[in-house]
Structure formats: structure tokens, C-alpha cells
Amino acid sequence: MRRVALDGVADMDTADVLRAALDDGLGAPPLPQALVVDCDKLSFCASAGLNEFLRARMTAVGLGIAFRVAAPQDQLRRLLRLTETDTLLGVPPVPESEPSRPF
């Protein structure tokens, strides 16, 4: 398993940097069995960031690499849920005992 830790924001201004980090995570030899994108310190994700996650997932699937987004903050979790990409990107639902904060 390989881990890519993100920090800051994923938006149109940072999409190229995000793409490069995800491509490095997927392509650096030896190829990993799984790529986990740690979003614990990602404070904001716009549609451009989501597009990079989805692009990287498609690349990973083509290479036979499992792809998962881990530790999303509330804003990213909501974006993934609203776009119905949370299950596609391997994000588990919030347990019922853990209410999400208002938007």
C-alpha cells in the first residue's frame, strides 16, 4: 500500500499539483497494490479536486491498483456524498452515532 497525504486545498489553482502527486503515487516503481489518499489535512475540495480523484481512480483501476480516499473532513465528505462518489472512492458512511456538522 502507498499513501499520499494531502494538505491545504484541492481546487482549480492546485489541480495540477494534485494530479502530479496522485500520478507519482500510482506510477512510482514498484507499483503499489493500493493507493490511499489521506485527506485528513485537506481543508477544502472543489470540483477540480474531485475530478482529479476520479481521474486517478480510473488510472488505478486500469493498472489493477485499489484506490481509496481516507479521512475526509466534513466538506469533502459532503461533496462526495452529494455527487454519489463516496462509495466509488471507498469512503465509509458516517456512523449514526456521529452526527455531521451543519453545512
Side-chain angles (χ1 to χ4, degrees):
M1 176 192 76
R2 185 170 292 148
R3 179 179 160 270
V4 173
L6 304 181
D7 192 354
V9 299
D11 59 13
M12 197 162 56
D13 292 335
T14 61
D16 290 341
V17 174
L18 177 57
R19 176 181 288 230
L22 295 172
D23 286 349
D24 284 349
L26 289 169
L31 289 182
Q33 290 184 344
L35 180 67
V36 175
V37 182
D38 183 347
C39 296
D40 184 51
K41 293 184 180 179
L42 187 68
S43 59
F44 177 77
C45 183
S47 61
L50 177 58
N51 284 336
E52 291 305 323
F53 290 152
L54 295 172
R55 184 200 56 78
R57 182 194 173 274
M58 285 178 42
T59 300
V61 168
L63 295 170
I65 299 170
F67 185 90
R68 179 170 77 83
V69 170
Q73 299 299 313
D74 289 343
Q75 184 272 328
L76 176 56
R77 187 177 288 278
R78 280 189 297 277
L79 175 64
L80 298 177
R81 189 177 62 239
L82 288 171
T83 58
E84 297 182 354
T85 56
D86 49 351
T87 55
L88 184 68
L89 296 175
V91 178
V94 175
E96 301 249 350
S97 64
E98 190 179 313
S100 60
R101 291 178 274 188
F103 194 73

